[in-house]
Amino acid sequence: MSNIDRRSLVKGSLAVMMAGAASRAAFAQSSEPILLGVSGPLTGPNAQYGTQWKQGFDLALDEIMAAGGINGRKLAYQFEDSQSDPRQSVAIAQKFVSDPRIVMELGDFSSPASMAASPIYQRGGLVQFGFTNSHPDFTKGGDFMWSTSVSQADEQPLLAAYAVKRLGLKKLAVLHLNTDWGRTSRDYFVKAAKGYGAEIAVTEGYIAEERDFRSTLVRVRDASPDGLILISYYSDGALIARQARQVGLKQVICAASSVYSPKFLELGGEAVEDVHLGTRYFPEDPRPEVKKFIAGFKAKYGGQEPDAFNAYSYDAMNMAAAVVKIGGTDRRAVRDAFAKVKDVSSVIFGSATFDVESRRVKGAMNAELVVRKGQFALWDGKPT
Amino acid sequence: MSSWLDYTINGLIVGNVYALVAVGLALIFGVSRLINFAQGSIYLVGAYIGWVAVVQLHTPLPLTIIVVAVAAALVGLIIERFGLRPLQNSVRIAPLLATIGISFVLDQLVMLTFSPNPRALPSQLPDVRFQVGGGTIGPLDLLIAGVGLTSALLLFVFLRYSKLGWAVRAASQDRDAAMQMGVDVNRVNQAVFGIAAALGGVSGMLVGMYYNQIDTAMSLQATLKGVVAEVVGGAGNVPGAVIGSLLLGLVESYGVAVFGTSYRNLFAFLLLVVVLVLRPNGLFASARQAPPEPLTGTFIAPSRPVRIPRWALLAAAAIFAVLPFFPVSFYVLQTLINAWLLGMLALSLTLVAGTIGQVSLGHAALLAIGAYTSALLSMTLSVPVGLSIIGGGLMCAALGTALISPSFRLRGHYVSIATLAIGEIVSLVILNWESVTRGPIGISGIPPLSLFGYDLISPTSIYWFSFAVMVVLALLQGRLLTSHLGRSFRAIRDDDIAARAYGLSLNRYKSLAFIFGGFAAGVSGGIAAHLYSYINHETFNTQQSILALTVVILGGLGNVVGAILGSVALVGLPEVFRIAAEYRILIYGIVLLLLVRFRPQGLLGTM
């Protein structure tokens, strides 16, 4: 499962405890791997996302090792389960900050867990690389907070352009997860869509645990939109699409890239046929980094198609490797290296370079897909 | 107008789904007066067994239902035999905690076996839709309604006309008398758990098919909605549970219709509070029914508390006070900071739950009130952080007491359910009251802790600060318990009728307890807000309320030292088990079960 298995982890930490500070210098040049800390959910309500992270990390690490590691040294990560609970993520933060082997931290998943830990990473001088943290204030936590999460200010106008300009929708119903991510996304989407001349008929926010959307869809129907916009993850997106078709709504559905997952097709079945979605990459993408990612992923995980969260974590591990190659194992140098890395090959961005001001990456790739015959396919321009 | 018909139909459809869980809960409550928090987990297990049967074994639907029912019934029997029967003669709150522990274990086992990724559970019924109003219904809707109504009817007939049914009813009315009449109460319990579990398993499978989706997070939600529906209908009343479920579905659906989707659960929980306040025994309880709870005295049984000598307490306090001078890592200090913050919450809860007998399941809401108040005071009004935390405590004392006061006339389990609902309401108000709380975006950039102008940012200083605050609160509470006020609190807990006869005003004393407890919880929330720098409506969730109650029961109800010991244990254990990675919550659940089994009165006993 994880890159360093539990036994070596136990052995490692025991060794550190027993050997004490004296031998730490010896580790630095030895064959001990360069260690990254990961704080994320492996149990609890968000556990699925933590397991997806691991898949992406492990694939990227395989490739990094095959290419000779980091200047001849191995790269590894230590995954600590936070359950996306701020109480646990702050304890993990102190754990990583006080562990001299850790050179950088990745995660956490949810905003409350990630941003509660930020002050500790900032004061402790350890980079918190939040690769799924789209909260606009995340990188404002300090100069040790960096993120490759696609800015919703970038993504939502692309989706709005797809829905309004390309698909010709004029009157939209927006359904969004009522979380910091969903809310921020909705605001950017609404602004962009209005800018393109569309009318927003109704917006409905729902909580993550919601399963039943029938009554919400009656509200949507009564607003008589010509298109439904889903700012959802794949499981709730599939539920909404199914129930929309069941209650007889036949409008065009257009979804945010976070539904991009084989699970969306599995859970949605026939109901997600002809759903449009903007994504950062697609299965037949000719870009070499995408081909390598998809082929590698399928080979490693028995033919399974990768999804958006796999891609985020794969990219994050590659970015971490590129940063550590420049910055080495000194934590400050690692932070400074984030400003120095240029054009890192990336599934999401094509090539990623940080904007030093915002500590984020701009200019995500864009592909306009549609579900055809139960598969994601590049949209051919035909109306549905 | 036609939309209202649609909202009505949709409400009934989702009510149908709730009914499947509520009927099982009602049956168990009817016999053992126990809210079975593991019912949602059985529902989860049923859904995954259904998945194995349908997707792996390709069984036809009738066979699938039988397989799931039998397997789930077996799980139910195992729970009854090994989880609950050993606790029969211990305090009444022990089985409640045991069901929470069992649900941890079952959920984790499912997650470890099947991975947390959601799965599709395809429906095995033909995909035809019938037009009703502006929407359609499918065969699964009818099947779910059929299963719900048939099982309620069958149970009704079983309870009324069969010999075992009579035994069940006899046992629920008076367990001791039933035993004297030769009823094998264990067999009755077994039968009830088996039936309820079979029903729970089948409902999980049907609901999974209904949404074509099963995942490990469905368990807690099912329990919450099921409990609401059951209590609305009248706890322990099987037909009432069905009607309560339909009512709940309707209220939610109309709530969405009038105010929008994000208000949906707000209406569900408001309905519950209103029903509890107006008709504490549920809508369909008959007036001549015996009180649904025994007097509170048997709910929280007295036990001999472990006396810890004063020198030992002083020594322990001294060791923790000088701990940062020793080479301990910041990680250990941070973990202990978490323990002290949880300790303040536990002090609050042990006072209201243990000392005065109001077992609250919504205590995280107090944290949230304290945290938001302190954060907003310090940010918008530039109040110094030390003062803003006190402001958070005071606001929490006032608002918390006001919110909880409608439930003062309730007893036993009903207090827990009402506080659970109030906790959810607070969280949903925070989500929706955007002009003040900034809604789902949350509040970021909360200033760090500071005292007299000095920022407390090193882990050592935060450690000392939180430890000192907790010790002061603990000393105050210890003083309170030995005063005449403490004796009055315990008198109300042990026998409220006698206490009232003696001239104690119950509401006034309950308010006092909540004011003191609310302050401690609010301070804890306030400190947490400045420690985290970012909070939103998810920061203080239901799981934290359940954790706090676990701490309090584990430490010994009403026991101040026990609350702190329990906090250190329950914050520390999951950290110690980190080495076990994905298995740590499973191990935690098992340890919890063993503790309940062998120390049902808590580690240090009830005070």
Side-chain angles (χ1 to χ4, degrees):
Chain A
M1 289 285 273
S2 81
N3 179 256
I4 47 169
D5 63 291
R6 266 186 293 287
R7 204 177 312 138
S8 64
L9 210 153
V10 178
K11 259 194 311 202
S13 48
L14 282 178
V16 168
M17 278 195 287
M18 288 185 293
S23 63
R24 250 171 234 158
F27 276 144
Q29 313 112 23
S30 74
S31 58
E32 282 296 311
I34 298 174
L35 199 54
L36 309 171
V38 180
S39 164
L42 287 179
T43 59
N46 290 325
Q48 47 178 307
Y49 303 108
T51 51
Q52 282 165 330
W53 283 9
K54 271 189 165 181
Q55 291 180 322
F57 288 153
D58 291 343
L59 174 63
L61 280 178
D62 285 354
E63 294 176 8
I64 293 163
M65 292 314 161
I70 308 294
N71 307 327
R73 281 183 67 180
K74 277 174 143 178
L75 186 65
Y77 66 87
Q78 176 177 338
F79 203 128
E80 294 291 356
D81 172 27
S82 67
Q83 301 191 301
S84 284
D85 170 7
R87 274 183 319 110
Q88 298 185 47
S89 72
V90 296
I92 292 168
Q94 288 293 8
K95 188 178 175 116
F96 285 155
V97 166
S98 32
D99 183 344
R101 298 172 304 151
I102 305 277
V103 300
M104 181 201 303
E105 187 268 352
L106 289 85
D108 203 285
F109 178 74
S110 73
S111 291
S114 311
M115 289 165 71
S118 295
I120 294 173
Y121 289 117
Q122 178 65 24
R123 288 168 206 150
L126 180 64
V127 164
Q128 183 184 24
F129 178 25
F131 60 95
T132 56
N133 294 109
S134 62
H135 195 292
D137 291 341
F138 172 74
T139 54
K140 292 177 190 160
D143 59 349
F144 280 88
M145 273 79 240
W146 295 79
S147 176
T148 48
S149 169
V150 178
S151 163
Q152 293 310 307
D154 281 351
E155 172 172 351
Q156 295 305 328
L158 295 172
L159 184 65
Y162 188 12
V164 181
K165 285 165 75 176
R166 308 257 289 141
L167 293 170
L169 305 176
K170 288 279 166 270
K171 196 174 175 197
L172 303 172
V174 182
L175 288 93
H176 64 94
L177 258 177
N178 210 356
T179 60
D180 55 298
W181 169 79
R183 197 41 210 282
T184 315
S185 302
R186 181 199 84 179
D187 292 346
Y188 282 121
F189 179 88
V190 166
K191 188 163 161 249
K194 281 185 178 159
Y196 293 133
E199 180 195 341
I200 305 298
V202 63
T203 71
E204 291 288 328
Y206 59 91
I207 58 169
E209 293 85 19
E210 200 61 83
R211 285 278 183 283
D212 173 74
F213 296 94
R214 285 168 161 267
S215 296
T216 304
L217 289 166
V218 175
R219 273 177 84 88
V220 168
R221 184 195 69 196
D222 290 353
S224 58
D226 56 9
L228 267 60
I229 307 296
L230 306 186
I231 298 177
S232 310
Y233 288 171
Y234 52 82
S235 51
D236 33 315
L239 283 172
I240 297 175
R242 274 179 72 89
Q243 292 176 31
R245 297 310 184 218
Q246 280 177 3
V247 302
L249 291 181
K250 297 192 171 58
Q251 280 91 338
V252 176
I253 297 180
C254 199
S257 66
S258 38
V259 305
Y260 181 63
S261 165
K263 284 281 174 194
F264 182 65
L265 305 174
E266 183 191 337
L267 300 173
E270 283 171 20
V272 298
E273 190 69 14
D274 296 329
V275 168
H276 295 262
L277 65 161
T279 58
R280 312 284 75 87
Y281 70 95
F282 62 97
E284 280 80 42
D285 207 321
R287 287 191 284 140
E289 62 273 12
V290 177
K291 281 185 160 165
K292 184 172 142 202
F293 168 60
I294 294 177
F297 196 92
K298 280 184 167 170
K300 189 170 168 69
Y301 299 109
Q304 189 192 337
E305 290 272 353
D307 70 6
F309 287 95
N310 294 135
Y312 296 149
S313 61
Y314 173 81
D315 268 8
M317 188 53 76
N318 281 326
M319 176 57 83
V323 166
V324 174
K325 257 185 194 148
I326 297 179
T329 54
D330 179 72
R331 288 176 175 183
R332 267 176 197 279
V334 164
R335 177 200 56 184
D336 298 338
F338 269 89
K340 293 178 194 149
V341 287
K342 290 265 180 301
D343 303 325
V344 179
S345 164
S346 157
V347 173
I348 302 296
F349 294 98
S351 76
T353 305
F354 279 94
D355 170 48
V356 180
E357 277 304 298
S358 64
R359 291 187 288 281
R360 288 184 181 275
V361 179
K362 284 186 180 146
M365 302 300 284
N366 188 39
E368 292 171 345
L369 304 191
V370 65
V371 180
R372 285 279 154 79
K373 300 197 181 70
Q375 296 294 327
F376 291 112
L378 204 58
W379 185 49
D380 46 17
K382 285 186 199 142
T384 45
Chain B
M1 224 31 229
S2 72
S3 300
W4 286 100
L5 177 65
D6 292 337
Y7 287 121
T8 309
I9 292 166
N10 292 338
L12 292 175
I13 287 174
V14 72
N16 233 340
V17 169
Y18 297 152
L20 289 178
V21 184
V23 166
L25 282 166
L27 192 61
I28 291 178
F29 191 91
V31 178
S32 45
R33 299 275 172 236
L34 170 70
I35 292 178
N36 180 17
F37 275 89
Q39 188 73 7
S41 302
I42 294 172
Y43 170 91
L44 179 69
V45 170
Y48 276 85
I49 295 172
W51 181 84
V52 171
V54 172
V55 177
Q56 307 272 341
L57 307 176
H58 309 286
T59 51
L61 185 63
L63 188 59
T64 311
I65 291 179
I66 293 172
V67 167
V68 170
V70 170
L74 278 177
V75 176
L77 291 179
I78 293 172
I79 292 175
E80 194 278 332
R81 179 65 192 84
F82 298 103
L84 299 174
R85 200 182 296 173
L87 298 172
Q88 232 166 35
N89 297 317
S90 66
V91 277
R92 296 183 51 83
I93 200 149
L96 184 76
L97 189 57
T99 60
I100 293 176
I102 290 166
S103 83
F104 275 172
V105 171
L106 284 180
D107 289 1
Q108 287 302 312
L109 283 177
V110 170
M111 190 181 274
L112 289 169
T113 317
F114 292 96
S115 95
N117 277 325
R119 286 165 195 260
L121 178 55
S123 161
Q124 294 173 301
L125 288 169
D127 192 20
V128 290
R129 312 288 311 174
F130 311 106
Q131 189 77 25
V132 178
T136 61
I137 61 171
L140 253 179
D141 293 312
L142 300 177
L143 180 63
I144 289 176
V147 169
L149 290 175
T150 318
S151 55
L153 195 71
L154 279 179
L155 282 172
F156 183 75
V157 172
F158 163 75
L159 290 174
R160 183 133 305 208
Y161 299 107
S162 80
K163 206 160 186 188
L164 187 59
W166 295 345
V168 169
R169 278 163 57 215
S172 81
Q173 278 174 6
D174 191 333
R175 201 168 151 258
D176 294 332
M179 267 160 84
Q180 281 164 1
M181 297 304 290
V183 172
D184 183 349
V185 175
N186 284 336
R187 206 167 72 95
V188 167
N189 266 339
Q190 246 172 6
V192 163
F193 263 86
I195 295 171
L199 202 57
V202 171
S203 59
M205 182 205 72
L206 288 177
V207 174
M209 282 185 181
Y210 184 64
Y211 294 126
N212 189 36
Q213 185 163 333
I214 56 175
D215 64 61
T216 43
M218 63 200 270
S219 146
L220 180 66
Q221 284 306 309
T223 311
L224 279 181
K225 288 288 167 73
V227 167
V228 173
E230 185 223 350
V231 175
V232 166
N237 180 336
V238 171
V242 174
I243 299 173
S245 304
L246 296 178
L247 193 62
L248 175 65
L250 285 177
V251 167
E252 285 186 4
S253 186
Y254 293 143
V256 170
V258 179
F259 294 95
T261 309
S262 63
Y263 291 89
R264 169 183 194 138
N265 283 355
L266 196 57
F267 284 95
F269 291 109
L270 278 176
L271 169 74
L272 178 67
V273 173
V274 169
V275 167
L276 278 179
V277 167
L278 297 181
R279 286 191 65 97
N281 292 342
L283 288 178
F284 302 100
S286 58
R288 59 186 170 79
Q289 202 173 10
E293 283 291 332
L295 298 179
T296 39
T298 44
F299 191 60
I300 297 164
S303 72
R304 186 195 297 250
V306 179
R307 290 268 167 226
I308 299 179
R310 186 169 292 241
W311 62 263
L313 285 178
L314 280 173
I319 289 171
F320 279 117
V322 299
L323 191 67
F325 291 120
F326 293 94
V328 290
S329 74
F330 284 167
Y331 165 55
V332 173
L333 289 187
Q334 183 67 48
T335 306
L336 285 171
I337 292 171
N338 288 342
W340 306 147
L341 290 178
L342 182 61
M344 294 175 212
L345 182 69
L347 282 175
S348 160
L349 186 57
T350 210
L351 180 71
V352 299
T355 307
I356 201 161
Q358 307 282 299
V359 177
S360 157
L361 262 176
H363 239 57
L366 297 178
L367 286 180
I369 294 173
Y372 271 90
T373 308
S374 183
L376 291 172
L377 279 179
S378 64
M379 291 174 77
T380 54
L381 300 178
S382 312
V383 175
V385 171
L387 284 179
S388 74
I389 291 174
I390 294 175
L394 293 175
M395 174 61 104
C396 190
L399 196 59
T401 311
L403 284 174
I404 218 85
S405 56
S407 72
F408 281 165
R409 52 187 292 218
L410 303 176
R411 285 178 179 172
H413 279 111
Y414 292 87
V415 180
S416 313
I417 302 302
T419 48
L420 180 78
I422 292 166
E424 294 292 317
I425 290 170
V426 168
S427 158
L428 289 163
V429 167
I430 288 173
L431 177 63
N432 284 303
W433 195 8
E434 293 192 5
S435 57
V436 172
T437 61
R438 302 182 202 176
I441 305 290
I443 302 179
S444 60
I446 303 171
L449 288 172
S450 74
L451 211 54
F452 311 117
Y454 296 99
D455 280 353
L456 306 178
I457 53 176
S458 76
T460 321
S461 56
I462 299 173
Y463 175 87
W464 272 320
F465 177 72
S466 50
F467 183 62
V469 172
M470 185 196 68
V471 168
V472 169
L473 288 171
L475 288 174
L476 281 175
Q477 191 158 323
R479 180 77 191 81
L480 183 82
L481 292 184
T482 51
S483 73
H484 109 92
L485 207 54
R487 283 194 298 278
S488 307
F489 285 168
R490 283 193 294 270
I492 291 171
R493 171 191 73 188
D494 290 339
D495 192 333
D496 61 351
I497 293 174
R500 209 160 46 193
Y502 200 64
L504 293 180
S505 157
L506 300 188
N507 285 355
R508 199 169 298 165
Y509 281 97
K510 285 178 182 174
S511 300
L512 276 174
F514 270 95
I515 287 170
F516 190 89
F519 182 77
V523 166
S524 172
I527 296 176
H530 296 284
L531 187 67
Y532 295 163
S533 84
Y534 174 78
I535 51 173
N536 77 1
H537 66 287
E538 292 171 324
T539 308
F540 307 103
N541 52 22
T542 318
Q543 276 101 321
Q544 298 221 24
S545 299
I546 295 175
L547 177 68
L549 185 62
T550 318
V551 165
V552 166
I553 298 173
L554 182 68
L557 282 157
N559 195 316
V560 169
V561 181
I564 296 168
L565 183 70
S567 304
V568 174
L570 290 199
V571 168
L573 285 180
E575 294 294 328
V576 172
F577 296 144
R578 273 204 181 282
I579 221 81
E582 295 97 322
Y583 297 91
R584 73 192 181 104
I585 302 301
L586 179 66
I587 297 174
Y588 171 75
I590 293 171
V591 169
L592 201 65
L593 278 177
L594 290 175
L595 281 169
V596 177
R597 171 72 183 79
F598 294 106
R599 289 282 306 168
Q601 73 278 44
L603 290 172
L604 298 185
T606 310
M607 287 278 266

